[in-house]
Amino acid sequence: MISLEPVAAPDAPLARRNPVAKLAAALVFSVVMVATLDPVAPAIAIAVELALLPLFGIRYRVLARRALPLLVGGAGIVVTLVLFAADRSGRVLLDAGPLLVTSGVLLTALGLALRMFAVALPGIIVFATTDPTDLADALVQNAKAPARFAIGALAAFRLVPLLGQEWQMIEMARRARGVDAGRNPVARLRLFTSTAFALLVGAIRRGTRLAVAMDARGFDAGTPRTVARRQHFGVADALLVVGAAVLAGAALAVSVALGTFRPLIG
């Protein structure tokens, strides 16, 4: 089952920070990492993120489970570029018939994979340490986001775990009716497509009912709304954002000093 609840220790120093501050720090860190194509700056950024992980109260094993799709995607990027990239510049590392691996294509593949990790890990850490309700409250109070948007996003976020449960229910219902693809890959693909379509239809119907119910309860009213849970943005929260910008800039500075910096544009 899909779980999006926070898994961090609630008393961890950085886990207690304002949700908007953590989100802003993650965005700043990620945007800076997008500016380079070399593997040095993202590798430094990943090392910094992993070093700070205990301050967020997250265990490395828990992070590995949540980042498993990211690991699979990174491996796919490396394999795809090594096999099919047109640029084969640099020193030849492996020449086995049709498979030609050079230092240039390997550095490019590692740079893209590491950059994906460096950009995505802050977001994983933020959502692993933040309660969705607190995030919605902080967006309305501190970021001045429209209440309709914040509460709607919170409702959608809460419905995500139901998708895994519905997928299992659809599969069990079809298996009970004798609909099984067996070992046929084509039949499995067709069954997967039809199951995904059924899940999409159910999600749209549930979203429509939820939107109507929220409008009926006045979530789109123009009158000022009161808040039950105050979210304070203090000096420590501002320092978290500034610290993220400084660390990201330091990673880029090291890359420039080593002569490996490759700008995304130019």
Side-chain angles (χ1 to χ4, degrees), residues 33-108:
M33 286 299 103
V34 173
T36 180
L37 294 174
D38 71 285
V40 174
I44 296 174
I46 294 172
V48 170
E49 293 164 2
L50 295 179
L52 294 177
L53 200 62
L55 297 179
F56 285 96
I58 306 176
R59 298 178 181 177
Y60 290 101
R61 183 180 301 176
V62 174
L63 178 66
R65 285 201 300 266
R66 292 219 166 185
L68 184 59
L70 197 63
L71 295 172
V72 175
I77 289 176
V78 173
V79 172
T80 301
L81 288 179
V82 167
L83 292 179
F84 303 110
D87 182 18
R88 299 291 171 175
S89 59
R91 186 165 55 91
V92 176
L93 302 177
L94 177 63
D95 187 0
L99 179 60
L100 178 63
V101 181
T102 63
S103 59
V105 69
L106 189 60
L107 284 176
T108 300

Side-chain angles (χ1 to χ4, degrees), residues 20-26 28-29 233 235-246:
V20 168
K22 290 188 287 186
L23 185 61
V28 169
F29 204 87
F233 193 99
V235 177
D237 301 310
L239 290 177
L240 176 62
V241 180
V242 174
V246 170

Side-chain angles (χ1 to χ4, degrees), residues 21-266:
K22 290 188 287 186
L23 185 61
L27 288 175
V28 169
F29 204 87
S30 300
V31 168
V32 174
M33 286 299 103
V34 173
T36 180
L37 294 174
D38 71 285
V40 174
I44 296 174
I46 294 172
V48 170
E49 293 164 2
L50 295 179
L52 294 177
L53 200 62
L55 297 179
F56 285 96
I58 306 176
R59 298 178 181 177
Y60 290 101
R61 183 180 301 176
V62 174
L63 178 66
R65 285 201 300 266
R66 292 219 166 185
L68 184 59
L70 197 63
L71 295 172
V72 175
I77 289 176
V78 173
V79 172
T80 301
L81 288 179
V82 167
L83 292 179
F84 303 110
D87 182 18
R88 299 291 171 175
S89 59
R91 186 165 55 91
V92 176
L93 302 177
L94 177 63
D95 187 0
L99 179 60
L100 178 63
V101 181
T102 63
S103 59
V105 69
L106 189 60
L107 284 176
T108 300
L110 288 176
L112 288 176
L114 290 174
R115 186 172 62 157
M116 182 185 69
F117 282 117
V119 170
L121 273 181
I124 296 176
I125 293 173
V126 168
F127 287 102
T129 60
T130 305
D131 183 81
T133 304
D134 292 337
L135 178 59
D137 290 339
L139 286 174
V140 174
Q141 298 174 41
N142 305 128
K144 306 303 179 184
R148 179 184 177 90
F149 164 77
I151 298 175
L154 172 62
F157 200 78
R158 291 294 191 188
L159 289 178
V160 169
L162 295 179
L163 296 179
Q165 297 178 7
E166 285 203 355
W167 184 279
Q168 294 178 354
M169 291 176 60
I170 294 173
E171 285 188 333
M172 289 188 295
R174 292 187 171 183
R175 194 175 297 116
R177 294 198 301 266
V179 180
D180 191 3
R183 297 184 178 181
N184 189 337
V186 177
R188 284 191 175 187
L189 179 61
R190 292 177 58 185
L191 187 60
F192 175 85
T193 304
S194 62
T195 304
F197 182 75
L199 188 67
L200 175 63
V201 172
I204 293 175
R205 289 176 177 173
R206 181 181 289 105
T208 303
R209 292 195 299 267
L210 180 61
V212 173
M214 291 177 65
D215 285 341
R217 295 188 179 188
F219 281 98
D220 194 27
T223 56
R225 302 182 61 86
T226 58
V227 293
R229 298 168 295 272
R230 285 288 177 183
Q231 298 292 333
H232 300 283
F233 193 99
V235 177
D237 301 310
L239 290 177
L240 176 62
V241 180
V242 174
V246 170
L247 290 175
L252 285 184
V254 172
S255 176
V256 173
L258 294 177
T260 60
F261 179 71
R262 295 171 55 197
L264 180 63
I265 301 176

